[in-house]
Amino acid sequence: MRSIITASLVLLSACVPVPDPATTGLPLFGNGYRFEGDICRRVGEDDFTKQFLDDAADLVACPSDAENIGVFVTDTSAREVGRRDGYTLFSVPIR
């Protein structure tokens, strides 16, 4: 019984809607950050994002309600710099 409940919770957590990159006002690009298919994506320059761009860091957007954000921050040393359209923006050092 316990395994059925655990399996149900795992399946339900997979049903959290992810913002559609095509409808966001952010200039997202790539097929995932860190690896193909990742829900986080690189962000390009526009009037809003240019304040966060840095030549020593990647600007990355992850859905704000993603459950693995803490792991992402720990693994990449990311620093939250803003939020927009259901995404949290992170500056990820590359040097």
Side-chain angles (χ1 to χ4, degrees):
M1 177 72 166
R2 188 174 189 196
S3 63
I4 292 173
I5 293 172
T6 302
S8 297
L9 290 174
V10 169
L11 290 173
L12 285 175
S13 69
C15 296
V16 174
V18 174
D20 180 3
T23 62
T24 172
L26 295 170
L28 303 176
F29 65 93
N31 292 324
Y33 186 76
R34 296 186 300 168
F35 55 87
E36 180 115 4
D38 193 353
I39 59 173
C40 298
R41 311 250 317 261
R42 296 261 324 262
V43 182
E45 184 175 357
D46 70 5
D47 287 339
F48 175 71
T49 63
K50 67 182 175 185
Q51 63 187 319
F52 308 119
L53 293 174
D54 181 352
D55 65 340
D58 288 333
L59 184 60
V60 178
C62 299
S64 294
D65 59 356
E67 63 185 53
N68 64 345
I69 293 295
V71 173
F72 173 79
V73 169
T74 301
D75 287 351
T76 63
S77 299
R79 181 177 51 88
E80 183 177 332
V81 293
R83 291 178 181 248
R84 185 170 173 194
D85 300 331
Y87 282 87
T88 303
L89 300 173
F90 294 96
S91 179
V92 180
I94 54 175
R95 324 179 200 178

